[in-house]
Amino acid sequence: MTHLSRRRFLTISAACAALPTGALATPVAHWRGNALGAGASLRLEGLTDVQAAPVIASVEAELERLERVFSLYRPDSQLSRLNRDGRLSNPAPELLDVLSLSTALHDATGGVFDPSIQPLWVATAQGANGDDLNRAKSAVGWSQVHIHRDEIRLDQPGRTALTLNGIAQGAITDRVAALLRGQGLTDVLVDMGEIAALGTRADGGAWRVGLAGPDGAVAQRIALRDRAVATSSPMGTVLGEGQGHILNPTGQEPLQQTVAVSAPSAALADGLSTALCLMPRDRGAQVLTRFPGTKLELLI
């Protein structure tokens, strides 16, 4: 299978120039790596690199564990095994949580958000048409996915398959944020493909995030504190000539170029920003009312 990473449209606004003189002496530790094939980073206020080393080690261990759950790149991951075998026993709690949220998003969006889009995504990426494309479409459908605490089952083994690219990086962002919070860290900017802002910057102000439009230029700046944001752009990755990577199960083309949503959790923001790319603006606004604490931050 061909798997392409989502291009990220999140930029962190430089904060140092705005900090009071006294705040400049506050140590800040940085880390950069990868999560599900996309760039990831941490900014830990108040810690030196030496102090942050054990924290970063725990984050890297957690990312490795979550890769073994969600990755489409790793043949040994739970998601890859489910797609290959059509059945997965004893699924990880994190996978069950993401699939539960996916069901809520699927229902709220009238089926627009559908992780079973993977067969159509792969066929489109490979340039399929005609009967091959129709066969891929027939394998898509959330009703073909059966989720239980002790087992997940797909109705068409070898044909039906899931992708969690529209929600898993948000979920990983949430897990890392929870891990850091559990270690007593209160002022952290987490970017695991989506953004979670805990606490404040060293100067006591909210974290500043720049949201970029389809051309990569910052179109909107927002302040975040104990909140997450996700941005999706269908043409961020191109599967074929003029074909973006966010697909509608009905075959309808995306209706929005870029959508950014903030929410109490990065997984929710991630899923909503993905789905709203495929929906009329008024319908997208209605969907947001189904999820308390969510806010549309950018729509182009």
Side-chain angles (χ1 to χ4, degrees), residues 116-128 132-140 159 161 239 243 247-252:
S116 72
I117 198 74
Q118 177 69 356
L120 181 58
W121 196 101
V122 171
T124 302
Q126 294 176 342
D132 289 338
L133 197 60
N134 288 331
R135 277 193 292 272
K137 290 179 179 178
S138 70
V140 175
R159 297 190 63 222
L239 302 185
Q243 177 63 65
L247 304 181
N248 192 323
T250 67
Q252 183 178 1

Side-chain angles (χ1 to χ4, degrees), residues 8-15 189 191 195 207-213 216-224 229-231 258 260 297-298:
R8 298 297 160 188
F9 285 94
L10 289 166
T11 60
I12 308 305
S13 302
L189 190 66
D191 177 2
I195 301 291
W207 296 102
R208 297 196 295 266
V209 176
L211 307 175
V218 174
Q220 179 77 19
R221 297 185 187 275
I222 64 172
L224 288 180
V229 66
T231 304
T258 299
E297 300 286 1
L298 179 66

